[in-house]
Amino acid sequence: MKDPDRFYLSLPEPQRGALLALRRILLSYDKNTSETQKYGMPCFLYKRNILCYLWTDRKTEKPYILMAEGNHLTHPALEQGSRARMKILRVDPGTDIPVDGIREVLREAIELYRKGVVKLK
């Protein structure tokens, strides 16, 4: 069993179900997207460059997508908080996942790499 699989299976519901659904959305968005694990959390790569992470908020226990190059992203659903570089997209596991909104954020993030705003390694 791969490390990311262990991560998901160790979670209680509804976090597990929500994060597995987010995983499917992230991996199916672009053929150049892959998954690994960094810092103990699932990490999604675009052409071997960090695109985002999946994690859960310690206080609310609700999942979120942590966008690596969030400082370049302008989608209104993203929250900067006190982070200098990254932004998060919160997901409530008790409601429908905003698939269209997630895809919009992914499109904007991947365009950063395609247009050279963020250099590919």
Side-chain angles (χ1 to χ4, degrees):
M1 186 178 299
K2 296 178 184 177
D3 286 340
D5 293 328
R6 280 192 205 103
F7 170 82
Y8 296 109
L9 293 176
S10 72
L11 297 171
E13 290 294 350
Q15 290 91 352
R16 179 187 317 158
L19 288 172
L20 285 170
L22 293 171
R23 177 191 205 189
R24 279 191 298 272
I25 293 166
L26 294 169
L27 289 173
S28 68
Y29 183 76
D30 188 283
K31 66 180 180 176
N32 294 302
T33 304
S34 60
E35 181 184 31
T36 188
Q37 189 166 359
K38 291 185 184 286
Y39 313 111
M41 62 181 127
C43 177
F44 295 84
L45 309 171
Y46 176 74
K47 294 186 177 181
R48 300 186 316 217
N49 295 273
I50 296 173
L51 180 63
C52 62
Y53 298 90
L54 287 180
W55 201 240
T56 55
D57 185 282
R58 289 182 184 158
K59 293 178 185 174
T60 66
E61 296 183 352
K62 291 183 180 178
Y64 61 85
I65 302 171
L66 179 67
M67 300 304 298
E69 299 297 336
N71 58 331
H72 296 287
L73 302 174
T74 60
H75 195 279
L78 293 170
E79 299 174 28
Q80 181 83 46
S82 61
R83 298 166 196 85
R85 179 177 161 217
M86 300 185 182
K87 290 184 182 177
I88 65 170
L89 176 63
R90 294 183 190 274
V91 176
D92 183 350
T95 63
D96 289 339
I97 292 175
V99 177
D100 291 337
I102 293 169
R103 289 182 179 149
E104 289 171 10
V105 170
L106 291 172
R107 179 193 49 75
E108 188 178 350
I110 289 173
E111 282 299 308
L112 296 174
Y113 292 107
R114 289 183 180 153
K115 292 180 177 179
V117 174
V118 176
K119 302 294 182 211
L120 289 170
K121 294 178 186 173

